[in-house]
Amino acid sequence: MIVAAALLVTACSSRETEQPTAVPAVPSAPATVVAAAPQATQPADTPTPAPTATPSPTATDTPVPTATPTATATPIHPLSIEYLRRQAYPGSELVIEQTLAPGGNYDRYYASYYSEGLKQYGLLTVPRGQKPEGGWPVIIFNHGFIPPNEYRTTERYVAYVDGFARSGYIVFRPDYRGHDRSEVRPPARTVPPTTSSTCSTPCQRSSSTPTPTRSASACGATAWAAGSPCAPW
């Protein structure tokens, strides 16, 4: 019995001896989580636009310059006053052809002059008495329509001429061409012609060529009825 107990004790001791000694655990470093590197993202294929054909410029017709029409001057009518004023009318001085019966305070004459080579006649009155300094003022009296075959230089408009003459004016009432004895180039005109230089010539001469009788500056014109186209001259 004693021997069995000893063997039992020895067996138990051997088991205790054979148990491994516990090794203290070495603390391990905390695990570091390594993030996985992101995988490279492949860009999506962008569709390459097909080249667009550049439209060729459309040929534009070059406009042909239009020639600017040249203004054609409208010819001035040869019977217009504007045309007649531009002309030259060579004339002459008045010539006393005949002394007529005097008026109340003035003398009357049948006178003539040349206009463009044509001999023209007219009635002339000259005041008597002391003339003003510079001479008497002058009025050219253009008569109205009278049929040429009825017209007489010393007749008609007697009262009008007398009124101006009594008021101290030299009055010259010229014939129109083709009237009474006044000459005219064919074909003869039968109405008071604005082409007649008798409308202006006597007054122009009295203004540009003063005489001891008439004034060098005071010259006017008056007209009656159909003779009015001559007055603006």
Side-chain angles (χ1 to χ4, degrees):
M1 291 259 329
I2 296 172
V3 174
L7 287 176
L8 181 58
V9 172
T10 302
C12 291
S13 298
S14 296
R15 286 181 184 174
E16 290 177 1
T17 304
E18 287 177 3
Q19 290 181 357
T21 305
V23 179
V26 178
S28 59
T32 303
V33 179
V34 179
Q39 294 182 353
T41 303
Q42 295 295 329
D45 292 337
T46 302
T48 304
T52 303
T54 303
S56 301
T58 304
T60 304
D61 293 335
T62 303
V64 179
T66 303
T68 302
T70 303
T72 303
T74 303
I76 303 175
H77 196 285
L79 296 184
S80 65
I81 291 178
E82 181 180 0
Y83 175 88
L84 297 170
R85 280 176 170 170
R86 298 180 181 182
Q87 311 309 307
Y89 301 98
S92 69
E93 291 296 322
L94 292 175
V95 175
I96 303 300
E97 298 281 347
Q98 180 183 351
T99 299
L100 305 173
N105 62 344
Y106 58 90
D107 296 319
R108 299 169 66 245
Y109 304 95
Y110 184 60
S112 68
Y113 66 97
Y114 282 89
S115 174
E116 296 185 292
L118 300 174
K119 191 172 185 178
Q120 306 296 304
Y121 294 87
L123 176 65
L124 174 69
T125 67
V126 179
R128 290 195 295 265
Q130 184 64 39
K131 63 179 176 290
E133 184 178 354
W136 301 103
V138 181
I139 288 181
I140 307 300
F141 190 101
N142 299 296
H143 64 80
F145 174 74
I146 300 173
N149 59 338
E150 298 178 10
Y151 175 85
R152 296 295 179 268
T153 304
T154 57
E155 298 176 1
R156 308 287 182 95
Y157 301 99
V158 175
Y160 300 100
V161 173
D162 179 74
F164 286 121
R166 287 178 179 274
S167 300
Y169 290 91
I170 289 178
V171 180
F172 185 63
R173 198 195 73 193
D175 297 348
Y176 297 127
R177 293 181 182 183
H179 287 59
D180 202 0
R181 297 173 57 192
S182 292
E183 297 176 346
V184 66
R185 293 190 182 95
R189 292 182 58 86
T190 58
V191 296
T194 57
T195 54
S196 173
S197 60
T198 58
C199 292
S200 61
T201 305
C203 194
Q204 289 175 334
R205 285 199 301 273
S206 67
S207 297
S208 59
T209 310
T211 69
T213 303
R214 61 176 173 260
S215 171
S217 59
C219 182
T222 187
W224 186 267
S228 57
C230 293
W233 285 47

